[in-house]
Structure formats: C-alpha cells, structure tokens
Amino acid sequence: MRLFVKIFLSFMAVLILALCSVEYCMVSRSFEQALEQEVNHELEQFRFLRMVTYMGGTRTGEQQLGERSMLLLGPDGEVLYPGFSEALLEASDGMEQSGRITYMVRETEGRHALFVAGELPSEDVMQVLKTASDISRIYEERALLEQQYGYYIYVALLVCGLLAAVISYVLVKPLKRLQRSADKIAMGEYSGRVKEAGRDEIGELARSFNQMAEAVEQKVEELRLEAVRKEQFMGDFSHEIKTPMTAIIGYADTLYQKELSREETKEAAGYILNEGMRLESLAKKMMRFIALDNEEFCFEEIPAEEFFQDLSQTMEPFFKDGERVLRISCGEGCLNAEWDLMKTLVINLIDNAKKAGSRRIFLRGEPEEGGYRITVSDDGRGIPAESLSHVQDAFYMVDKSRSRKQNGAGLGLALCKKIAALHGTFLSFYSREGKGTTVTLWIPGRRK
C-alpha cells in the first residue's frame, strides 16, 4: 500500500472514529436528559394522580389524566378501572407491585410508553394504580438528531477528506522527490539533490540524503580516479618493464647471433648489466611500494640526534668520492615515526638530489611546536614548474633518459609520498630550474 493511501486512510479512520464518538456521546446525553426529565415529570404527575384517586375515586382521577391512560387493580388483581387498551395491558404485565412507586419503558404497537405503578395510600384494602404515557416523541427526537448529526458527519467527512488528501500529498511529495533522486543515484546519476525545506523530520531527512549523495558522489569520483591511476600505473609499469627487457633481449640476441669483438661484447654485456640492474631496482621498489598497503607499522618516539646519526653513517659511503657533499644538521627533539620507513623516505630524497646533479646537499632537522620538520635541499638542476605537480606520481620522471641511465624507475618519490601519508603528513616541494630543489616534510607529534 502506498504511503499516500496509508496517511489518507489513517487520517480518515481517526476522523470517522472521533466524529462518530462525538455524535454518540451528544445524542445519548441529550436523549438521557430528555428521558430523565420525562420520567421525573411523570412520577410527579403519578403521585398527584394517586392522591386524587384515593381522595375522590376513579371519576375524580380520570378528570386529571390528560393524555395518560390509567388502570386501577384490586387486591386480587381484578380490574377496578379498565383504562388500558389490550396492548397497554399486555405491555404492563409483570411490573412490580409493591409499596413503592416503580416505572419502566416499553415499546408497544410501534410506540414507546412510560409505565408507572404504585399502591394507593389505603390501610384497609390494597389497590394498585398504573398509568401509561406516550413518550415516542423523545425517541423520534433522538432519531432526528442522529439523522442530522449523520448529515453533518457526511459533510465534515467530505470536506476533511479533501483536506486529508491535500495534506497527504504535501507530506508525501518530498518523499517522492527523495525517491526520484535515489532512483537516479541507483542508475549512476550521482549529481541529483533534493530541496532542503523546513526543519522537521522530512527536512532533516533531505539534508541527510544530500550529505549521503555528496559522500557517494565523492567516493565514486575517488574510485574512478583510483581506477584511472591504477590503469595508468599498470600501463607505466608495463612500459618500464618492457623498455629494459627489450634492450636485454636485443643485446643478448646480438651476442648469440653475431661474432663480436671483445670490446663490442663488453659493451653489449654492459648494456645488459645496466638494464638488469634497473629491473632489479624497479622490482625492489615495486615490492616495497605494494607492501606499504598490507603492513602494520609501529610508530615510536625517535630521538632526532640518533636518527640523523644513523642516516649519516648510512650515506657516508656514497659521498666518499668528494664530488658531492652531504651536510647534516639537526636540532634536539623527537620524531613520532616508524624508523625504517622514515629512513627510506629521507634516503630517497637524498638519492633524488644526487641524481639531479647536485654538488651540495643539505639535510636539516628542526623541532617545531606540535611536531618535527625535516628539510632536504640541493643545488642541482631543479624541477620545471609544469612538472612539480607530477613528481610524486608513480613512474613519472622529469628527465627519462638521464633517470634510466642512473637505474631510475620513477617510483622513489611515489614511495616517499605513500610513506608520508602513513605518517599523516605530506611532502612540500619548492624548486627553480638551475637553482636546485627544497623538499620539506613536517612530521606531526604524538597521535591519539
């Protein structure tokens, strides 16, 4: 059953119940009051008539009857005054005959009669007086009231039914809009929104629906972008593998097919070695890149001096030739980080600075309120402005030919970006072509 029909029928059911209850109560109350007044009046008249009959006999009592019928019975039930018709006599049969006055209402010949009975106040011979009066008009008035109230109820139901239909439509209309928007979302149209009107439950529902639709749209867009990135990632990965494999196969085929001089053989083997080392580097970084999504890491408070001392010892062999200089300085403080991941990140940044043709590389650590800042800067070739927004993308290389000669795979900064995200932060790049690059990483303090 539709919600509109449910609301309409519920409204009408409550209305009918209320109107019928009011009608019943009012008609019953009016009828009971009229009947009570009539009974009291008849009892008073009966007392007066009984006294007159006792004092003056049946002839005097007959003069006081008016519209009433009177019956006088003797001690043995014989009729002393036959004022009742056969129908009234039969209807009054069975009335209690005692010293007190009694009454009852009975229907006879399609009319309603009020019977009153009581003994005459005589000490010698017991006589019973009965009277009967027609009170059908009270029942006719009740029927007329019921008819009138019924008419009023029909009119009220018609008017209220129209109002109930309008109210039901107004209440259901926002829900229909919600349904249409939900159907659009189910069909893939995530931009649909509903009008947020009012501060009632329906208005709150509309606001919640719009928030849900916004979240769904954002999530779908994120999934779409993620799918695009994965597709691009796989394409780039395939391309990166294909390039060295082609070179390896080509030079291996040359060595197999042709007779080469020692110098040519050494050169071909050098190409194979270089491309094999690039494949190895790519495989290692790829494994590390994928593993970050499936590992759980333990973050700890690392003393900055101890961390930078370890970095200095690790990087020392790479700067022994004297062509480049690595200068390290750090302030006192602690890094809230995972040791191995943070070390991998900083080493990758230094390695990128080396590949950029830098002569001097500076690694600085500075404590700040709420965290610790690490900065790696160099005086190398720098990064073009149009490339700054892409340097952290997987397999992106500013100078592909130079990167491949240095066994680069374009995964170093993508790995750094993911490690930074695991620490709840990100990398900031500032670079000028020919002037060098500065990379800043702010590590937040203890996380709750």
Side-chain angles (χ1 to χ4, degrees), residues 6-167:
K6 289 182 180 179
I7 296 176
F8 177 78
L9 292 180
S10 300
F11 187 89
M12 293 303 294
V14 172
L15 182 63
I16 291 172
L17 180 63
L19 291 177
C20 290
S21 299
V22 170
E23 178 201 8
Y24 175 79
C25 293
M26 293 186 69
V27 172
S28 298
R29 180 61 178 165
S30 177
F31 172 75
E32 289 172 359
Q33 288 178 346
L35 183 61
E36 184 179 0
Q37 290 177 359
E38 189 68 24
V39 168
N40 291 334
H41 176 71
E42 288 301 319
L43 289 176
E44 291 178 3
Q45 291 297 318
F46 179 83
R47 293 188 184 96
F48 175 73
L49 182 61
R50 186 179 64 166
M51 183 60 64
V52 169
T53 301
Y54 172 71
M55 298 294 295
T58 57
R59 185 172 297 276
T60 305
E62 184 180 356
Q63 296 174 356
Q64 305 297 325
L65 282 176
E67 297 180 354
R68 298 171 187 82
S69 299
M70 185 178 74
L71 176 67
L72 184 62
L73 301 175
D76 298 325
E78 68 275 13
V79 177
L80 301 179
Y81 180 81
F84 278 11
S85 65
E86 290 294 332
L88 290 177
L89 187 61
E90 184 179 353
S92 67
D93 188 26
M95 284 189 69
E96 182 181 356
Q97 299 177 7
S98 61
R100 58 189 181 88
I101 298 174
T102 60
Y103 69 89
M104 69 176 183
V105 177
R106 286 195 176 169
E107 185 178 0
T108 175
E109 295 181 334
R111 309 288 291 176
H112 289 83
L114 174 61
F115 295 93
V116 182
E119 294 181 0
L120 291 180
S122 173
E123 297 179 357
D124 299 333
V125 180
M126 185 191 75
Q127 294 179 337
V128 176
L129 178 66
K130 291 184 180 181
T131 63
S133 59
D134 188 1
I135 58 171
S136 297
R137 60 181 179 79
I138 298 177
Y139 288 87
E140 291 171 355
E141 289 176 358
R142 183 178 70 173
L144 181 61
L145 278 176
E146 289 176 347
Q147 183 180 359
Q148 289 177 345
Y149 275 115
Y151 172 76
Y152 294 146
I153 286 176
Y154 292 145
V155 174
L157 287 177
L158 179 61
V159 175
C160 293
L162 294 175
L163 291 176
V166 173
I167 293 172

Side-chain angles (χ1 to χ4, degrees), residues 249-265:
I249 293 171
Y251 284 107
D253 183 64
T254 301
L255 289 174
Y256 181 77
Q257 299 269 356
K258 297 181 180 180
E259 292 290 337
L260 302 176
S261 63
R262 179 175 178 78
E263 191 64 32
E264 290 174 334
T265 301

Side-chain angles (χ1 to χ4, degrees), residues 4 19 23 32-33 44 47 58-59 74 145 157 167 169 190 202 204 224 249 285 299 395 421 425 427 439 441:
F4 172 83
L19 291 177
E23 178 201 8
E32 289 172 359
Q33 288 178 346
E44 291 178 3
R47 293 188 184 96
T58 57
R59 185 172 297 276
L145 278 176
L157 287 177
I167 293 172
Y169 175 78
Y190 303 105
I202 294 180
E204 293 176 358
R224 187 188 68 81
I249 293 171
K285 289 186 177 180
F299 295 89
F395 301 112
T425 185
L427 299 173
V439 185
L441 172 71

Side-chain angles (χ1 to χ4, degrees), residues 201-259:
E201 288 80 358
I202 294 180
E204 293 176 358
L205 178 61
R207 284 187 285 274
S208 298
F209 179 87
N210 288 338
Q211 292 174 0
M212 179 200 70
E214 184 71 24
V216 169
E217 186 177 17
Q218 291 179 359
K219 193 65 177 178
V220 169
E221 182 63 17
E222 289 175 4
L223 292 174
R224 187 188 68 81
L225 294 176
E226 183 66 22
V228 171
R229 285 194 294 268
K230 286 183 177 180
E231 184 177 353
Q232 183 179 358
F233 181 88
M234 294 306 298
D236 293 340
F237 181 63
S238 299
H239 178 73
E240 290 299 322
I241 290 179
K242 181 180 178 181
T243 303
M245 288 299 295
T246 301
I248 291 172
I249 293 171
Y251 284 107
D253 183 64
T254 301
L255 289 174
Y256 181 77
Q257 299 269 356
K258 297 181 180 180
E259 292 290 337

Side-chain angles (χ1 to χ4, degrees), residues 179-443:
Q179 181 186 7
R180 287 194 293 268
S181 298
D183 291 339
K184 289 182 180 179
I185 290 178
M187 296 174 64
E189 298 180 21
Y190 303 105
S191 59
R193 300 292 184 273
V194 294
K195 183 179 179 181
E196 299 178 10
R199 298 182 178 179
D200 55 4
E201 288 80 358
I202 294 180
E204 293 176 358
L205 178 61
R207 284 187 285 274
S208 298
F209 179 87
N210 288 338
Q211 292 174 0
M212 179 200 70
E214 184 71 24
V216 169
E217 186 177 17
Q218 291 179 359
K219 193 65 177 178
V220 169
E221 182 63 17
E222 289 175 4
L223 292 174
R224 187 188 68 81
L225 294 176
E226 183 66 22
V228 171
R229 285 194 294 268
K230 286 183 177 180
E231 184 177 353
Q232 183 179 358
F233 181 88
M234 294 306 298
D236 293 340
F237 181 63
S238 299
H239 178 73
E240 290 299 322
I241 290 179
K242 181 180 178 181
T243 303
M245 288 299 295
T246 301
I248 291 172
I249 293 171
Y251 284 107
D253 183 64
T254 301
L255 289 174
Y256 181 77
Q257 299 269 356
K258 297 181 180 180
E259 292 290 337
L260 302 176
S261 63
R262 179 175 178 78
E263 191 64 32
E264 290 174 334
T265 301
K266 187 176 180 181
E267 183 181 358
Y271 277 114
I272 293 174
L273 176 62
N274 186 65
E275 293 303 315
M277 291 174 64
R278 195 157 78 87
L279 272 178
E280 182 185 27
S281 174
L282 176 63
K284 288 181 178 179
K285 289 186 177 180
M286 188 68 182
M287 290 292 291
R288 188 63 167 162
F289 190 79
I290 294 174
L292 289 179
D293 292 327
N294 303 314
E295 291 184 24
E296 294 184 1
F297 302 98
C298 179
F299 295 89
E300 56 182 331
E301 294 291 333
I302 303 173
E305 293 182 0
E306 184 178 342
F307 179 73
F308 279 87
Q309 180 65 31
D310 182 46
L311 280 173
S312 177
Q313 294 174 358
T314 301
M315 300 305 299
E316 184 178 358
F318 299 96
F319 291 89
K320 281 186 175 181
D321 54 10
E323 294 182 5
R324 301 174 183 83
V325 177
L326 174 64
R327 295 180 180 176
I328 300 177
S329 64
C330 74
E332 293 184 0
C334 290
L335 291 74
N336 190 331
E338 205 283 333
W339 186 297
D340 291 334
L341 289 183
M342 190 54 60
K343 184 176 179 180
T344 299
L345 187 152
V346 177
I347 289 175
N348 270 284
L349 294 179
I350 295 173
D351 185 56
N352 274 5
K354 285 173 56 184
K355 293 176 180 177
S358 306
R359 302 287 298 174
R360 290 179 298 174
I361 302 173
F362 301 91
L363 172 62
R364 301 183 184 88
E366 301 172 292
E368 290 187 358
E369 184 178 356
Y372 198 90
R373 185 176 300 278
I374 295 177
T375 304
V376 178
S377 57
D378 62 67
D379 57 358
R381 288 182 295 273
I383 303 171
E386 63 273 12
S387 298
L388 274 176
S389 59
H390 300 288
V391 292
Q392 297 183 78
D393 296 343
F395 301 112
Y396 184 84
M397 292 175 279
V398 177
D399 189 340
K400 294 187 178 182
S401 60
R402 182 179 290 109
S403 296
R404 284 170 179 155
K405 288 180 181 178
Q406 297 171 335
N407 295 328
L411 277 175
L413 288 180
L415 189 63
C416 293
K417 177 183 178 181
K418 183 166 286 193
I419 293 174
L422 289 172
H423 286 78
T425 185
F426 57 90
L427 299 173
S428 297
F429 288 80
Y430 174 77
S431 183
R432 294 173 60 189
E433 285 192 83
K435 300 293 184 179
T437 302
T438 298
V439 185
T440 303
L441 172 71
W442 182 77
I443 306 172

